[in-house]
Amino acid sequence: MIFRPLSLDGAFEVLLEPRGDARGFFSRFYCDEEFASYGLNTRWAQMNISYTRGIGALRGLHFQRGTAAEVKLVRCLRGRVYDVIVDLREGSGSFGRHVGVELDAERRNSIYIPEGFAHGFQTLEDDVELQYLHSRPYSPTQEGGVNLMDSHLAIDWPLPPAQISERDKNLPALEEVSPL
């Protein structure tokens, strides 16, 4: 695996190193030793799948706080998304900044998201499926979010927004969210 640091401390794009022949290839998606060598999380409590039908749909920006604060490892299994993380860590020099990575099922890349970040994405194709590994189980009482369209974040979504849930439309602006 190749760990490519992103511009926000502790976040990485993780790329596969396929080894193959005429039949295809084999590659690790996850390895305790390799993740530990970068000081990254090696315990996963939950794995989830999301499916989104339409191109241009937006989901997020979601996070968990307190004892439910989680690390995520996200990979696109089908299609492509523009994946965005926002630094919400208290005292962070990059608080409120975001970075985006295109996750692509054909490239098989993933994004490692440390605790204290909000996460969201926009679908770049129809019929997109994402896989999430979470370091802690989901807690509805400790969930939160930041509005995807917050002008202070100024996220340059690649496509015009096609679908946003009512819940996500009503998430607060960054200035209304307490640091994590």
Side-chain angles (χ1 to χ4, degrees):
M1 289 179 288
I2 299 167
F3 294 82
R4 189 177 69 81
L6 298 176
S7 61
L8 301 176
D9 188 43
F12 291 82
E13 180 180 13
V14 182
L15 304 163
L16 302 182
E17 290 186 285
R19 302 210 186 343
D21 57 28
R23 299 168 298 167
F25 74 88
F26 176 87
S27 183
R28 283 187 245 182
F29 165 62
Y30 173 78
C31 172
D32 275 358
E33 289 179 2
E34 289 189 56
F35 272 66
S37 74
Y38 283 87
L40 305 180
N41 180 70
T42 60
R43 183 178 179 277
W44 304 104
Q46 189 169 312
M47 190 180 336
N48 298 312
I49 300 280
S50 75
Y51 168 76
T52 308
R53 284 187 181 86
I55 188 172
L58 290 167
R59 289 184 183 251
L61 297 158
H62 305 139
F63 60 81
Q64 294 275 291
R65 64 172 64 250
T67 58
E70 62 187 354
V71 174
K72 293 180 186 175
L73 182 62
V74 180
R75 178 174 177 221
C76 189
L77 299 175
R78 179 169 44 167
R80 292 180 308 125
V81 300
Y82 182 66
D83 203 90
V84 173
I85 59 174
V86 179
D87 188 347
L88 299 177
R89 296 173 294 182
E90 187 168 20
S92 170
S94 57
F95 179 85
R97 287 194 7 225
H98 69 276
V99 66
V101 172
E102 186 176 310
L103 299 180
D104 183 332
E106 288 186 22
R107 285 186 59 221
R108 296 174 178 92
N109 60 329
S110 57
I111 186 169
Y112 179 90
I113 308 165
E115 283 185 17
F117 281 75
H119 171 255
F121 65 89
Q122 182 177 45
T123 58
L124 301 177
E125 298 179 4
D126 289 333
D127 298 315
V128 170
E129 196 169 314
L130 297 183
Q131 177 184 48
Y132 301 73
L133 277 66
H134 300 262
S135 64
R136 294 211 170 80
Y138 169 72
S139 172
T141 61
Q142 293 180 296
E143 71 179 345
V146 179
N147 195 294
L148 294 150
M149 304 309 288
D150 183 351
S151 61
H152 289 98
L153 290 175
I155 298 171
D156 186 17
W157 298 106
L159 301 172
Q163 296 174 320
I164 306 174
S165 72
E166 285 303 311
R167 173 186 169 225
D168 290 351
K169 283 181 190 176
N170 293 310
L171 288 172
L174 176 64
E175 65 187 21
E176 300 171 47
V177 175
S178 299
L180 304 179

